[in-house]
Amino acid sequence: MSKRIRIFTAEDVSKHVSPSSCWVTRNGKVYDVTRFLADHPGGDDLILNYAGKDVGAIMKDAAEHEHSDSAYDMLDEYFIGRVGTGENIVSDDWEATDDFEPEETDVTADYEKNEFLDLRRPLFMQVWEANFSKLYYLQQVHQPRHTPDSPRLFGPWYLEIFTRTAWYVVPTIWLPIAGYLFVRSLVQFSIGSYALPLFTADPAAPIRAMLAGRIVPAAFAKAIPCFLLGNVVWTILEYIFHRFLFHIDALLPDHPAALTVHFLMHGIHHYLPMDRLRLVMPPVMFTFLSYPMTQLAHLLFPPAMANSVIAGSFTFYVLYDCMHYALHHTRLPAYVRDMKKYHLAHHYKNFDLGFGVTSKIWDYVFNTVLTV
């Protein structure tokens, strides 16, 4: 752990208001005076009346009891950190405009003022060695910063390369996979759901069957509805992942390891929302996220149906990630322009609402629509 002074928010302090955990502040410093309660000459009630609050004024109040220098020296023995004074960029007053261009962040001034992350140095170890509380992390990571180049996440190049993904990598990798699965489904609907060997045994088997003309027209009538079902399935997965996994803020443990996982999954995107190389999901990350979903599909459906559903979901995933990139950077048609305003409002206005990226359907269903 870092030996730097730990940074808290006023909300952190306000939660410690009991005899078993009593914190106070003075001049921006945080003190855990729990052990001092029983020793306070005026009784513990006087301190508990100000638990979770600032005691600077009351300690100087002659009408109550003006404290001596030795009292302040004693208070310093219980120093545990300070209250962060980070600025807020996200605001309910933010308005979406067609020509929105964020102001570039002065990275030196930003670090000096907020003491959160230094964008001039690799970010991973800074989060891992965090000296800030969970609440201060969440407050700061949701305040967007903007740099002309992608800040480094890792120092070594062989790790950094896996964190940067150009938008065209997504369709290049996942559309051929979706196409292969759809062909596999067509062949299975034509010759039998369990007729093909496992992919690991003979991955080229469905391609040979297709080239041999073994796909019958009736297979399309079965595979296409499953493919469309996969499209719908992706829209709800998109919403679920975004709201309940990427924005798991309330359930996040107050520990550097948990903050690091959060930062790697989605926090970095809110922190650097216009970073062109971190707007689409790295293939390794999507592989891990999609694996349990594909296994569930094979558990619920026969192989022929499962492969079409997965193909449809992967196709809509590609649409989602490419659209997400466009929402942050590209001039767009009317509908997509409206979704761009909607998604940017999620970043700059209220990150607890507006989880839909390709559509607002599930935001309406779950009452998380963000008014823009």
Side-chain angles (χ1 to χ4, degrees), residues 251-273:
L251 301 177
L252 195 65
D254 192 352
H255 189 280
L259 303 187
T260 302
V261 172
H262 181 277
F263 189 74
L264 292 176
M265 282 202 309
H266 199 58
I268 191 172
H269 174 54
H270 274 264
Y271 191 57
L272 299 164

Side-chain angles (χ1 to χ4, degrees), residues 184-193 216 219 222-223 226 304-305 308:
R184 189 175 183 90
S185 172
L186 288 172
V187 173
Q188 288 170 323
F189 274 125
S190 298
I191 65 175
S193 197
V216 299
K222 298 176 182 178
C226 297
M305 290 184 64
S308 273

Side-chain angles (χ1 to χ4, degrees), residues 106-348:
D106 182 333
V107 296
T108 302
D110 174 68
Y111 182 64
E112 290 176 353
K113 182 173 184 177
N114 297 296
E115 295 186 74
F116 180 55
L117 298 177
D118 187 348
L119 289 164
R120 298 163 297 183
R121 299 190 293 118
L123 301 174
F124 176 82
M125 289 306 298
Q126 294 185 66
V127 182
W128 182 257
E129 297 175 345
N131 69 316
F132 32 78
S133 70
K134 164 192 162 179
L135 290 178
Y136 192 72
Y137 163 80
L138 291 174
Q139 178 195 96
Q140 285 297 306
V141 84
H142 287 299
Q143 309 306 316
R145 272 71 165 182
H146 309 100
T147 59
D149 301 311
S150 294
R152 292 189 73 87
L153 187 57
F154 293 100
W157 67 267
Y158 51 83
L159 295 177
E160 180 69 9
I161 194 172
F162 290 105
T163 75
R164 303 184 180 204
T165 309
W167 71 268
Y168 52 80
V169 171
V170 172
T172 300
I173 291 178
W174 296 107
L175 283 183
I177 292 174
Y180 172 86
L181 290 173
F182 189 67
V183 169
R184 189 175 183 90
S185 172
L186 288 172
V187 173
Q188 288 170 323
F189 274 125
S190 298
I191 65 175
S193 197
Y194 297 92
L196 284 175
L198 294 174
F199 173 83
T200 52
D202 187 0
I207 306 299
R208 290 198 303 272
M210 177 186 67
L211 296 176
R214 300 186 66 184
I215 296 176
V216 299
F220 287 91
K222 298 176 182 178
I224 290 176
C226 297
F227 182 90
L228 296 176
L229 173 61
N231 296 163
V232 176
V233 166
W234 171 256
T235 66
I236 186 62
L237 287 178
E238 169 194 320
Y239 182 89
I240 290 171
F241 282 150
H242 195 179
R243 182 179 178 185
F244 297 109
L245 179 62
F246 297 158
H247 282 266
I248 195 172
D249 301 2
L251 301 177
L252 195 65
D254 192 352
H255 189 280
L259 303 187
T260 302
V261 172
H262 181 277
F263 189 74
L264 292 176
M265 282 202 309
H266 199 58
I268 191 172
H269 174 54
H270 274 264
Y271 191 57
L272 299 164
M274 296 299 180
D275 187 337
R276 291 178 177 271
L277 295 179
R278 294 195 174 99
L279 282 173
V280 297
M281 211 175 296
V284 173
M285 182 177 177
F286 184 69
T287 299
F288 280 106
L289 286 177
S290 64
Y291 180 77
M293 300 298 104
T294 57
Q295 295 306 299
L296 180 60
H298 280 286
L299 183 65
L300 295 175
F301 306 112
M305 290 184 64
N307 284 324
S308 273
V309 170
I310 296 169
S313 294
F314 280 10
T315 301
F316 255 43
Y317 158 67
V318 172
L319 172 65
Y320 154 82
D321 238 356
C322 292
M323 184 169 175
H324 183 226
Y325 180 89
L327 294 184
H328 281 265
H329 282 293
T330 312
R331 298 197 177 279
L332 305 158
Y335 169 76
V336 188
R337 190 163 61 246
D338 177 64
M339 288 305 300
K340 175 177 181 176
K341 293 179 181 179
Y342 188 71
H343 183 65
L344 290 181
H346 170 74
H347 281 277
Y348 293 91

Side-chain angles (χ1 to χ4, degrees), residues 28-147:
K29 295 181 178 180
V30 182
Y31 303 91
D32 181 355
V33 295
T34 309
R35 292 183 291 112
F36 180 65
L37 291 176
D39 298 327
H40 185 241
D44 60 358
D45 287 347
L46 289 177
I47 298 180
L48 288 171
N49 287 339
Y50 291 90
K53 304 175 184 176
D54 189 86
V55 297
I58 193 63
M59 289 185 72
K60 292 190 297 184
D61 190 345
E64 291 285 340
H65 173 65
E66 189 169 3
H67 290 70
S68 65
D69 290 342
S70 61
Y72 291 112
D73 291 339
M74 187 178 297
L75 182 62
D76 284 337
E77 295 177 13
Y78 300 98
F79 171 76
I80 58 171
R82 66 177 187 78
V83 179
T85 56
E87 61 184 331
N88 286 323
I89 300 169
V90 172
S91 170
D92 286 336
D93 297 330
W94 184 84
E95 294 184 6
T97 58
D98 288 336
D99 58 350
F100 171 69
E101 288 292 340
E103 183 179 345
E104 185 177 329
T105 300
D106 182 333
V107 296
T108 302
D110 174 68
Y111 182 64
E112 290 176 353
K113 182 173 184 177
N114 297 296
E115 295 186 74
F116 180 55
L117 298 177
D118 187 348
L119 289 164
R120 298 163 297 183
R121 299 190 293 118
L123 301 174
F124 176 82
M125 289 306 298
Q126 294 185 66
V127 182
W128 182 257
E129 297 175 345
N131 69 316
F132 32 78
S133 70
K134 164 192 162 179
L135 290 178
Y136 192 72
Y137 163 80
L138 291 174
Q139 178 195 96
Q140 285 297 306
V141 84
H142 287 299
Q143 309 306 316
R145 272 71 165 182
H146 309 100
T147 59

